[in-house]
Structure formats: structure tokens, C-alpha cells
């Protein structure tokens, strides 16, 4: 989590990771990602769905939906994907809950 990354910032800086993997990137506030990335990072891989859940912001006037242009709940992931300036790949088939798997749950 980005919270754990903040807590372990000294360790992360010592390890000097060149690649950072961010899961559920569409749900994380941009500021949390920025503060979790060290200066040695050369690659950031973001995984998630930019069309599903947005980051949680309590103040409505700071959200995309308010129309004020502050857009704190628009993740870095969503901004990068919708800019069309960075390469991205979207899944065409979701294998997580294929019918064969959901049958097992219903038994």
C-alpha cells in the first residue's frame, strides 16, 4: 500500500528500486503515488481500471464531479490513460470470474 510505502520510505530509498509496480492505480490519490516513488525509479507500472472506482476525496468541491477543475479524485493513472500520450493495454476478457469459476462458488 502507499501507506506502507510512506512508512518504509527509508528502506525503499536504500533498496533503490528501478521499477515500481502500483496495483489498483485507479483508486490511489496522485499525491500518494508521487510520495511513494523514489528518485531511482526508471519504470512505473500501473495496473487497475481507470473507469471504475476513483480515489476517495471527502470534500465534494475538490472532485471531478463538482466541475471546479481541481479534480483531486482523478488518479494519476486516469490522467495518463486519458491523455493518450503514454502506452497502455486494456484487457478484453476478464478471467477473474469466468462462469467455470463462479460455478464453484455456487456449489
Amino acid at each position: 500500500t502507499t501507506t506502507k510505502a510512506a512508512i518504509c520510505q527509508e528502506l525503499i530509498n536504500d533498496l533503490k528500486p528501478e521499477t515500481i509496480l502500483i496495483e489498483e492505480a485507479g483508486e490511489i490519490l496522485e499525491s500518494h503515488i508521487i510520495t511513494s516513488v523514489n528518485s531511482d525509479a526508471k519504470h512505473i507500472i500501473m495496473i487497475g481500471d481507470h473507469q471504475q472506482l476513483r480515489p476517495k476525496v471527502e470534500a465534494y468541491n475538490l472532485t471531478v464531479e463538482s466541475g471546479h477543475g481541481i479534480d483531486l479524485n482523478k488518479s494519476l493513472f486516469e490522467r495518463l490513460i486519458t491523455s493518450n500520450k503514454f502506452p497502455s493495454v486494456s484487457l478484453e476478457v476478464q478471467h477473474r470470474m469466468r462462469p467455470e469459476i463462479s460455478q464453484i462458488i455456487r456449489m
Side-chain angles (χ1 to χ4, degrees):
T1 65
T2 53
T3 302
K4 186 66 173 180
I7 292 168
C8 297
Q9 192 64 46
E10 187 175 327
L11 173 62
I12 292 169
N13 288 335
D14 290 344
L15 293 172
K16 299 180 179 5
E18 293 183 358
T19 303
I20 310 266
L21 176 69
I22 302 169
E23 190 177 23
E24 299 296 351
E27 298 179 39
I28 303 173
L29 288 167
E30 183 170 344
S31 59
H32 290 198
I33 290 176
I34 301 287
T35 57
S36 298
V37 174
N38 68 327
S39 60
D40 295 294
K42 294 185 174 126
H43 307 281
I44 299 175
I45 301 168
M46 296 185 191
I47 300 171
D49 187 344
H50 67 287
Q51 296 176 323
Q52 216 170 37
L53 298 173
R54 282 193 161 136
K56 199 87 161 142
V57 174
E58 296 299 324
Y60 178 77
N61 63 331
L62 302 177
T63 66
V64 171
E65 295 78 13
S66 73
H68 291 114
I70 299 171
D71 304 347
L72 281 184
N73 69 331
K74 188 172 191 177
S75 67
L76 175 62
F77 185 55
E78 182 179 353
R79 282 194 321 103
L80 294 175
I81 296 275
T82 57
S83 74
N84 294 317
K85 294 179 182 176
F86 295 89
S88 65
V89 176
S90 294
L91 295 177
E92 297 196 15
V93 177
Q94 174 59 273
H95 292 285
R96 184 180 324 167
M97 199 51 101
R98 291 185 55 89
E100 299 87 0
I101 297 171
S102 65
Q103 294 288 334
I104 296 169
I105 295 171
R106 293 187 187 121
M107 292 181 172

